[in-house]
Amino acid sequence: MLTAGQILQLIRNGTCRTRKELIEYTGLSRSTITDRVDRLIDAGYIHESGVGASGGGRPPSVLDVDASRRLMLVADLGATHVRAALTDLAARPLAEESTGMRIDLGPEAVLSWVRQAFQRLLDRAGRPAGEVCGVGLDLPGSVDHTTGRVIRSFLMPGWDDYPVGEAVGAGYDVPILVENDANAMGLGEWWTSWRETDSLILIKVSTGIGTGIVLDGRIYRGVEEAAGNIGHVRIRESDDRVCTCGSRGCVASLASGHALAADLGQETSQDVVRLVQAGDPTAIARTQEAGRTLGVVLATAVSLLNPGVLVLAGDMAETREHYLTGIREIVYRRSLPYTTRNLEIVTSSLGDRAGIVGMAVIVMEHVLSPTAVDTALQDKAAS
C-alpha cells in the first residue's frame, strides 16, 4: 500500500501524471488514489496543471508538483564570501544577494548576516516566513548532519562544534540542513548538467581544496563525514610549507589558491586569477604546475571511483584552461586508458552559484521525500 509521500514521488519523476495512470500503475483502488491525491493537493504539494489527452470521455487532469506555494531559504558560505537565496520548491531562485565576508570572523558575525539576508529576501519577494518549508546552509568544513554542527574545519577558527543549524534556523519551525560546501557544489553541478552520469567528482580549488563526490545522484560523505578531504593528502613530506592542518607537503599547501597567492606575492586566490587572466607568464606557469600537482591525487581518485566527469570549481576554475590543463595532463598520463575513455574533465557550469543550487536541491529532496511528506500530512491531520 503506497503512502501519499510515495505517490508524490511517482508524480515528481514523471512516472504517473494523472489519477488514471496512478490507478493503473499502482493497482490501488480509485478511492485510495483519490484520497492520496486530494491530501497532497490540500497540503499544497501538487496541483492540477492542465488536462491530458483523452481516450474518450472527459480529459484527465494532469497532476504536477506545486512549486510556488512553498519556499526554501539557502546560503552558501566560503572562506571569503557569503551568498543567500530564496527559492521555490523546484529549487528555482526567486531572489539572491551576496557579500564579501571572511568566514574567520566567526559564526556570530557571519550567521547574523545570513539571518538578516533571509529576512531581506522574504521582504523583497513579499512572502511571509510561514511559507518557508526548509532552510539549508553549506560551509567549508565537515559537518554532523544529525546535529547541524561543524565537526572540523581548518579555515574556520571558532566554528568547531558550533550549533550552525540552530543559529541559522532560529525563527523557522522547519527542517534545517547543514552541508559541506564542496558536496553541495558537486550536487548542484550534477543536478544541472550531469544527471545522466552515475559518478561525478567536483574539486573546489579556492583558498583551500575540497572535493564533493556524487554517486548515483547522492552525496557520498564517508563514515566520519570526511570523504573528499583530498586537499590534505600528503605527497611531499619533506616540503617546508606547512598546511593549514599542521602537516607538511599536503596538496593544499602546494596547489591551493592560497598556496599560489603566497608563491606569487599576492594576497588572495582571486589576485592569482587576475594575473592569469592578464596573461602573466609566471602566474600561468605556476597555475599549470599546481594543476599537475593536484592531478597526481586525482589520478588515484579516477582509478578508484571511475567517474564520468571531473568538475573544477572555485576561484581556480576562473583561470579556465590553465589550471585544468595541468590536471588533464597528469590524470590522463597516470590513469589506465579504459578508466578515462569516457571521462570528461571540465570547469564548473554554475560558477559561484553552484553551492546555492546544490543546497536548494538538498533541501528540496529532503522536504519532498516520502518520509517527510507523510510526516507533514500526519501532523496536519492531527492539528
Side-chain angles (χ1 to χ4, degrees), residues 132-151:
V132 175
C133 64
V135 175
L137 175 144
D138 72 54
L139 42 77
S142 298
V143 300
D144 184 331
H145 289 82
T146 61
T147 65
R149 292 172 178 262
V150 178
I151 299 173

Side-chain angles (χ1 to χ4, degrees), residues 4 70 83 86 98 104 142 165 193 200 269 285 303 308 339 363 369 375:
R70 294 164 183 259
R83 181 182 295 270
L86 175 70
S98 63
D104 57 15
S142 298
S193 304
L200 174 148
S269 53
S303 297
T339 65
V363 177
S369 68
T375 299

